[in-house]
Amino acid sequence: QALSGLLGEVAPNRWAGTGSASAPGGDGAAFAFGAAPAQSLARAAGDVQRQAYHGSFAQQVVRMWRQRAQFMLHLHRASSMVKIDHHGRAEKCELCGSTRQLVVTPIYTL
């Protein structure tokens, strides 16, 4: 407290909000300065957050992002195993019809 007075900062006994144990007139010991955290309060807060998250738009976005990431990994693994072993020259591309000479692979044999 002496250091906070020298620095002009808030004293540690006034860090807690109003209505807590360490604040003047506080009634509970859950938020006392330096006290162990209240396990039941933390569990209750987690339950409230879990109920608010379940079925929410945020959960849907996270689920879609995860599915997309899994698909991208699957696509990368599958495409890295594809080896083109039939190279040939053709007069035009089967897809776009370009007349430049290209090294092509028939699309029906992939």
Side-chain angles (χ1 to χ4, degrees):
Q1 287 193 11
L3 180 60
S4 64
L6 290 173
L7 297 174
E9 297 290 331
V10 177
N13 62 350
R14 299 183 50 91
W15 284 353
T18 59
S20 64
S22 60
D27 54 352
F31 298 110
F33 179 73
Q39 296 294 327
S40 60
L41 183 64
R43 286 189 190 109
D47 290 341
V48 168
Q49 289 177 351
R50 197 172 300 110
Q51 289 172 359
Y53 178 73
H54 183 68
S56 68
F57 182 70
Q59 184 185 25
Q60 292 175 2
V61 169
V62 168
R63 185 176 290 146
M64 288 189 307
W65 177 83
R66 187 170 184 265
Q67 290 172 348
R68 180 187 179 277
Q70 288 175 338
F71 174 74
M72 295 299 287
L73 284 172
H74 170 71
L75 187 63
H76 176 70
R77 288 182 190 132
S79 64
S80 67
M81 292 189 304
V82 172
K83 301 293 182 214
I84 299 174
D85 47 325
H86 175 71
H87 294 283
R89 290 219 173 257
E91 296 178 7
K92 65 178 184 173
C93 176
E94 294 176 5
L95 296 175
C96 67
S98 173
T99 57
R100 288 186 251 150
Q101 287 195 349
L102 305 169
V103 176
V104 295
T105 298
I107 59 173
Y108 305 108
T109 59
L110 284 177

